[in-house]
């Protein structure tokens, strides 16, 4: 295998092919496929709203609207937690004690 590889190396006439051959031999990622990199959310890019694709507009709306919706919901849960827990406790106790009774 090594002799065959060395014979192939002698036929290479460009520096790029030489590097490619070395990477092929010594690199452990044999099945690596190059992938297109996804863009990370950047404010400057999203300021030009008209230039965005439909998918990027949807992502922008989600990033900006979800915190606006989540904050009031979380603040309500935080404010009414004792009331919610008390109501659930009463409901479970009612169901627990009701099981012993017969229904028509």
């Amino acid at each position: 295998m090594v002799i065959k590889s060395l014979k192939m190396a002698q036929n290479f006439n460009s520096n790029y092919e030489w590097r490619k051959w070395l990477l092929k031999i010594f690199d452990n990622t044999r099945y690596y496929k190059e992938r297109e990199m996804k863009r990370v959310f950047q404010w400057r890019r999203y300021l030009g709203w008209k230039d965005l694709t439909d998918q990027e507009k949807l992502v922008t709306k989600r990033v900006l609207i979800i915190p606006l919706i989540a904050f009031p919901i979380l603040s309500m849960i935080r404010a009414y937690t004792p009331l919610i827990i008390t109501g659930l406790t009463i409901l479970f106790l009612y169901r627990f004690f009701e099981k012993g009774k017969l229904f028509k």
Side-chain angles (χ1 to χ4, degrees), residues 6-31:
L6 288 175
K7 287 181 182 178
M8 287 175 56
Q10 291 172 355
N11 294 332
F12 291 157
N13 52 2
S14 71
N15 196 12
Y16 172 75
E17 299 220 5
W18 178 256
R19 282 192 217 152
K20 189 175 172 184
W21 175 75
L22 282 175
L23 283 174
K24 186 176 179 183
I25 291 175
F26 294 111
D27 195 12
N28 291 332
T29 57
R30 292 181 184 173
Y31 302 106

Side-chain angles (χ1 to χ4, degrees), residues 4-5 30 37 42 45 65 68 74 84 88 90 102:
K4 184 178 179 183
S5 298
R30 292 181 184 173
M37 301 219 17
Q42 298 172 350
R45 177 159 171 69
I65 291 175
L68 295 176
L74 292 175
I84 293 170
L88 289 174
I90 291 171
L102 296 174

